[in-house]
Amino acid sequence: MPSARAQVRRDLVAESMPSGRAERAPGAVLTLVALFLVAINLRGAITDVPPLLTSIREDLGLSGAAAGVLTAIPVVSMGVFAPLAHRGAARYGYERTVAASVVVLLVGVLIRLGGASVVLLFLGTLVAGAGIAVLGAALPGVVKTHFAEHAGAVTGLYSAAVGVGAAGASALAVPLSDGFGSWQLSLGVVAIPAVLGLFAWLPVIRRAKPVRTDPSRTGTGTGTGTGTGTTDATEARRTEPTPAPAPGTAAPDTSPWRRPVAWILAVFLVMQTTAYYGVVGWVPAAYEEQGWSAERAGLLLSVFGLTGIVSGLVIPLLADRFTDPRPLFAVTVAGAVVGMGLLAFAPDLAPWPTIALLGLTLGGAFPLMLVMLVRFAPSPAAAGRLSAMTFLIGYPIAAALQIVFGTIHDLTGDYTAVFAVLFAMTLVELAVSLGLDPKHARHP
């Protein structure tokens, strides 16, 4: 029988093995499939609301500001609840945290079935947003744990899933509402992919190794989990000296709050998320006000989501080939500037190509940022902390701005000023992206 100390050393060696080896394991394909099915749920419970927003407002008597609150709730949740992903992963592992977040999302969707009550509609949206928040913050840690050597490709895969879910939910919302005779039942349909994703993820949980808690963090209540290792290994870390970081790498325990790159990413996320949800939340209503049918306006969001699938696949793959990500950011965000400018100042010139351009660019900028969350983090736990901090700052501010946009519409009577502000924010996004120097991947 091997000694406990020998077993500890084997655990430590196994943890330090490149993720590429794990990726070539027989279960890797099943993990990728499960990741795809789970990621489909990251936007569907958000993008199914805007095409139905006019009907919801009429049925419930919501003002523009109240509608802004409804569209902002999931975005607020994505920031407020994102840190729970890191805490959950520290104690239970990323795999179980992902499963729990899908369950919470499913509960929220089911609560929304009582959407004839304003309270249940808003409560269900809040709960669903909490599930989406934890899920979105946990997935970069999953990628770092299982597929660190191919972060761009795998991020592209689940970004494509996000696009599929977003486009499908927005395209089907109005037809399902008409077919059911109820927008509440239409909102409930997104429970189906949540159930499918949950069942697909269960084998991933069974293959997951026990969680090892970082003893340097447990005393503060902000422990980190690697998803590998044993309790014996934890005891060994208490007695054995911690090796110094390899030259050219960031210290694993560097707090993201002290890292300039974390703040750059947070500001970038504010601008990108505000623009993304500005399109998702207000474009259908804006074109309905111009005389479009609800179904046709909803199809604009489908185009937005479908083109986002393309860029979500391609841009992260390109990121793996670029040591310096700034040229990719510059091209991607510049396209968003052009698209938002057309939406603000010439909305009738070419609405379909404009929305397609915004889908390509805003849909590509977010997964590109996710790749940076993995690249600028030295470990899965650090990726989780960086994601949590970035989301905690970015999403609540972006959500508050959605409420401001609803108020601007109430005051002005149209969406021109809303899209003009979003145009200005894409300009800021472009400027901020130029600060993502590759040296941040090597130095705190």
Side-chain angles (χ1 to χ4, degrees):
M1 291 289 292
S3 68
R5 192 173 186 84
Q7 181 63 44
V8 166
R9 291 190 179 278
R10 280 197 292 272
D11 288 338
L12 294 173
V13 171
E15 183 182 16
S16 66
M17 287 172 62
S19 296
R21 296 193 184 185
E23 187 179 3
R24 292 192 291 271
V29 173
L30 293 178
T31 300
L32 286 173
V33 171
L35 184 66
F36 184 91
L37 292 175
V38 164
I40 284 177
N41 296 280
L42 273 170
R43 294 294 181 270
I46 300 174
T47 59
D48 60 351
V49 171
L52 301 171
L53 196 56
T54 299
S55 297
I56 293 172
R57 290 183 63 181
E58 290 175 354
D59 282 358
L60 302 180
L62 299 180
S63 67
V69 172
L70 180 62
T71 59
I73 285 174
V75 189
V76 172
S77 299
M78 290 166 72
V80 172
F81 295 104
L84 295 180
H86 168 55
R87 293 181 178 272
R91 185 165 185 175
Y92 304 108
Y94 282 108
E95 295 82 2
R96 290 173 178 80
T97 301
V98 166
S101 67
V102 177
V103 171
V104 173
L105 167 61
L106 182 59
V107 170
V109 170
L110 295 177
I111 292 174
R112 288 199 313 187
L113 288 173
S117 162
V118 174
V119 173
L120 289 180
L121 175 61
F122 278 61
L123 175 62
T125 302
L126 175 64
V127 174
I132 290 172
V134 176
L135 180 60
L139 287 183
V142 172
V143 174
K144 186 72 174 181
T145 300
H146 294 276
F147 306 103
E149 292 183 353
H150 302 283
V154 177
T155 300
L157 175 72
Y158 84 73
S159 297
V162 174
V164 169
S170 59
L172 295 175
V174 174
L176 288 174
S177 177
D178 293 342
F180 292 139
S182 166
W183 54 263
Q184 293 93 336
L185 290 176
S186 177
L187 293 179
V189 168
V190 292
I192 296 174
V195 171
L196 292 176
L198 182 60
F199 277 101
W201 195 255
L202 293 179
V204 179
I205 296 176
R206 287 195 292 268
R207 289 194 299 270
K209 295 180 180 180
V211 177
R212 174 190 293 166
T213 303
D214 183 350
S216 68
R217 296 273 177 179
T218 54
T220 64
T222 58
T224 61
T226 65
T228 60
T230 65
T231 303
D232 290 340
T234 303
E235 294 299 325
R237 283 188 171 185
R238 292 194 178 102
T239 58
E240 294 186 3
T242 302
T249 62
D253 290 331
T254 299
S255 169
W257 298 92
R258 296 195 296 269
R259 295 189 66 190
V261 68
W263 290 98
I264 293 172
L265 288 169
V267 174
F268 181 88
L269 182 64
V270 170
M271 304 303 158
Q272 192 278 336
T273 302
T274 302
Y276 182 93
Y277 287 106
V279 172
V280 169
W282 305 112
V283 161
Y287 280 95
E288 281 187 65
E289 285 190 357
Q290 295 183 29
W292 289 41
S293 69
E295 186 170 1
R296 189 182 180 210
L299 287 175
L300 278 174
L301 284 191
S302 298
V303 171
F304 180 74
L306 289 171
T307 51
I309 294 172
V310 177
S311 58
L313 279 170
V314 173
I315 291 180
L317 284 173
L318 291 175
D320 280 343
R321 300 176 179 273
F322 279 75
T323 302
D324 188 344
R326 287 175 292 182
L328 275 179
F329 274 104
V331 171
T332 303
V333 181
V337 171
V338 173
M340 199 62 76
L342 289 170
L343 191 59
F345 306 115
D348 297 323
L349 179 62
W352 296 99
T354 296
I355 295 301
L357 176 61
L358 286 169
L360 285 170
T361 53
L362 294 176
F366 182 72
L368 184 55
M369 190 201 73
L370 293 180
V371 174
M372 297 305 107
L373 291 177
V374 176
R375 181 179 295 183
F376 294 154
S379 69
R385 291 195 295 272
L386 182 58
S387 300
M389 179 262 192
T390 304
F391 293 168
L392 179 61
I393 293 173
Y395 283 125
I397 296 175
L401 289 172
Q402 301 306 316
I403 301 173
V404 172
F405 294 152
T407 304
I408 290 174
H409 173 265
D410 286 345
L411 293 174
T412 62
D414 61 35
Y415 289 96
T416 301
V418 171
F419 294 131
V421 173
L422 289 170
F423 167 71
M425 295 188 75
T426 56
L427 289 173
V428 176
E429 181 184 355
L430 178 61
V432 169
S433 69
L434 299 180
L436 291 170
D437 194 300
K439 70 182 181 181
H440 291 307
R442 300 187 298 273
H443 303 288

